[in-house]
Amino acid sequence: MTVTRPPLLPPTRAEYCVIACADAWRDNGEVLASPMGLIPSVGARLAKRTFSPDLLLTDGEAMLVGLDGTVEGWLPYRQHLTMVTGGRRHVMMGASQIDRFGNQNISCVGDWAKPKRQLLGVRGGPVNSLNNPTSYWVPKHSARVFVEKVDMVCGVGYDRAAEAGPSATRFHRIPRVVSDLGVFDFATPDHSMRLTSLHPGVTVGQVREATGFALHLPDEVPYTREPTPEELELIREVIDPKGTRNREVRE
Amino acid sequence: MSDKTMSAEEAVGRLENGMTLGIGGWGSRRKPMALVRALLRTDVTDLTVVSYGGPDVGLLAAAGRIRKLVTAFVTLDSIPLEPHYRAARERGAFALMEVDEAMFMWGLHAAANRLPFLPVRAGLGSDVMRVNPGLRTVTSPYDDAEAFVAMPALRLDAALVHMNRADRLGNGQYLGPDPYFDDLFCEAADAAYVSCERMVDTADLTKEAAPQTLLLKRSSVTGVVETPGGAHFTSCVPDHDRDEAFQKLYATTPYAEFTERFLGGGEQDYQLAVQNWKKEQGQ
């Protein structure tokens, strides 16, 4: 028997962001997915429910949990830090500022000695970026976030890692940056940021306008892939039925 | 074996101006807030505070007691930015040694193991090296010859931590999901003062909980203080969750006003003022 369902509503911008984040964890194998922020969290759970079932997830505190919340392990902060330095983890952090080589700042804005705006502090940016794949999520792409030079390097970018030597570059990798406008990586000869896909409805001009440095632009920029019907149903009905994603990124 | 019970006043009475003071917990989780409140009632100042920062740092910073802070972050968790810490930083109120979360942990490990430093990859390439010009690197003597940050020991004059249970001898027990780094804080310190939700007989510590919940050994504990609700308004599960409503009040009230209403008297006055505020809120 076939069940006829009404056609799905087209994907929202937030839903393109969700699958762009989920794809960060594609083919990662049996590692801890550490999403920070709402849309990366939906993305990590989507990845685990579909193409990356071996991912480990936490409850946001000290428990490793399955998709239904079943506790499968214990991960207090001190063991979490070993997961980081052991490399079996892919974190997606936020960024108050990020530059063309992937240096990221969440510490403070202005002069560090007497900041104009004190933010969180370096947190685990230094240890994350040198030890396990570190991606970034920016819900509101603007020239205030995508800056020429960050005020305090917390997460280490490609140029700074190279300057610091082989111990810094050995495990350093920034797989992708996802924003509400598109997806970016550093797969260029000098590891400067490249636009890899635009979310449908966004133009290259818009991205350029909202970026405070010259992005590497391929001759033809593809659009972010379409979510599959299964992915859309999982996002809308199972993972985020209240639609909180659409409050983090609006159309 | 000696009975180490004391009052919060006696514990903070042993602190002196200029000391390096470690504070356990993490962010707004299982912070020894009653001991911090007791400290605020003394004149002790000029402190170097070592903490995975939360409202402990916010209160001490607002009160002008910090000469230097050693931390990786200061946050209220559910409220990402600590308002009093932010304000103090933005007026340049104290010196800061800002390091990464893992560097901080290795600094405590080094101190607890009486080592001058431990090597850590974190920090290389980041501005942690720029803002801490005293940090040095160390090169592996083996074939890899890799260079690492030599994270200096974070040796403490005193540590303050809060446990779910403790006995009179100083054996401390956590019953929540995460020990944080409280054992390291105690082992890194010359004197450690432990407050607890409930003081119990030694035999009762393992009656209902597994032995691996016994985080603190009495050999690294100087004094034990019974302070029910002593982590308030931070979380101290399973005894109590974070008091989110009160934390929000803390974060949105000018410091002077908050102090006048809640920190003017002793710990009992504080707990009573909190209860009264809750009644007003219809909680």
Side-chain angles (χ1 to χ4, degrees), chain A:
Chain A
M1 196 182 88
T2 49
V3 181
T4 316
R5 308 194 58 159
L8 291 168
L9 290 169
T12 63
R13 179 68 60 78
E15 287 161 350
Y16 284 112
C17 293
V18 166
I19 59 161
C21 288
D23 280 344
W25 286 288
R26 193 182 281 275
D27 302 324
N28 279 198
E30 202 161 21
V31 303
L32 178 70
S34 284
M36 300 186 182
L38 190 102
I39 281 180
S41 295
V42 178
R45 281 177 287 159
L46 180 66
K48 183 169 170 62
R49 279 189 185 274
T50 53
F51 45 78
S52 294
D54 292 338
L55 290 174
L56 289 82
L57 295 173
T58 76
D59 64 351
E61 273 207 41
M63 297 300 158
L64 289 166
V65 293
L67 289 165
D68 63 355
T70 303
V71 173
E72 64 165 326
W74 184 52
L75 194 68
Y77 282 121
R78 62 183 72 188
Q79 289 192 2
H80 201 139
L81 285 169
T82 307
M83 203 91 141
V84 174
T85 51
R88 292 184 183 279
R89 178 177 183 258
H90 181 170
V91 62
M92 184 174 275
M93 299 184 80
S96 303
Q97 294 176 328
I98 189 164
D99 72 17
R100 72 170 71 208
F101 294 109
N103 295 291
Q104 167 254 27
N105 176 22
I106 49 171
S107 171
C108 64
V109 174
D111 178 15
W112 178 87
K114 195 180 173 193
K116 203 182 321 165
R117 278 175 69 77
Q118 174 64 40
L119 304 174
L120 277 170
V122 294
R123 290 222 70 148
V127 72
N128 287 342
S129 53
L130 257 54
N131 288 280
N132 62 187
T134 302
S135 292
Y136 295 103
W137 160 241
V138 177
K140 201 167 168 23
H141 192 129
S142 82
R144 292 175 53 158
V145 178
F146 288 76
V147 294
E148 190 67 49
K149 192 177 182 318
V150 304
D151 293 334
M152 172 85 180
V153 175
C154 303
V156 178
Y158 281 95
D159 58 337
R160 293 286 296 253
E163 268 173 48
S167 183
T169 54
R170 189 170 175 194
F171 304 115
H172 175 268
R173 193 159 72 84
I174 308 173
R176 65 169 57 192
V177 176
V178 180
S179 80
D180 59 333
L181 299 184
V183 182
F184 308 82
D185 69 10
F186 300 89
T188 52
D190 66 346
H191 290 299
S192 63
M193 198 185 291
R194 175 180 78 152
L195 173 60
T196 52
S197 76
L198 291 165
H199 301 324
V202 180
T203 65
V204 170
Q206 257 177 291
V207 174
R208 245 198 207 134
E209 179 95 351
T211 304
F213 53 83
L215 272 170
H216 187 94
L217 296 170
D219 294 337
E220 265 185 64
V221 188
Y223 284 112
T224 303
R225 73 172 177 88
E226 292 297 315
T228 67
E230 185 206 1
E231 286 175 330
L232 271 186
E233 286 197 35
L234 284 170
I235 295 168
R236 293 172 179 179
E237 286 163 33
V238 179
I239 302 173
D240 184 29
K242 288 183 181 156
T244 55
R245 64 193 175 282
N246 296 314
R247 289 201 289 272
E248 189 168 42
V249 169
R250 295 175 194 279
E251 282 300 292

Side-chain angles (χ1 to χ4, degrees), chain B residues 15-85:
Chain B
L15 304 180
E16 292 168 22
N17 290 347
M19 273 189 169
T20 297
L21 176 66
I23 304 179
W26 171 286
S28 189
R29 304 173 197 205
R30 203 155 44 68
K31 283 286 175 179
M33 296 299 283
L35 294 179
V36 170
R37 288 187 283 267
L39 176 54
L40 288 169
R41 292 193 294 272
T42 70
D43 295 325
V44 174
T45 190
D46 205 26
L47 295 167
T48 293
V49 171
V50 179
S51 172
Y52 284 110
D56 52 328
V57 169
L59 284 168
L60 291 169
R65 307 301 181 90
I66 302 179
R67 181 180 65 78
K68 180 182 175 184
L69 177 69
V70 180
T71 197
F73 58 79
V74 181
T75 179
L76 296 173
D77 291 311
S78 52
I79 300 171
L81 303 179
E82 217 294 347
H84 301 309
Y85 166 70

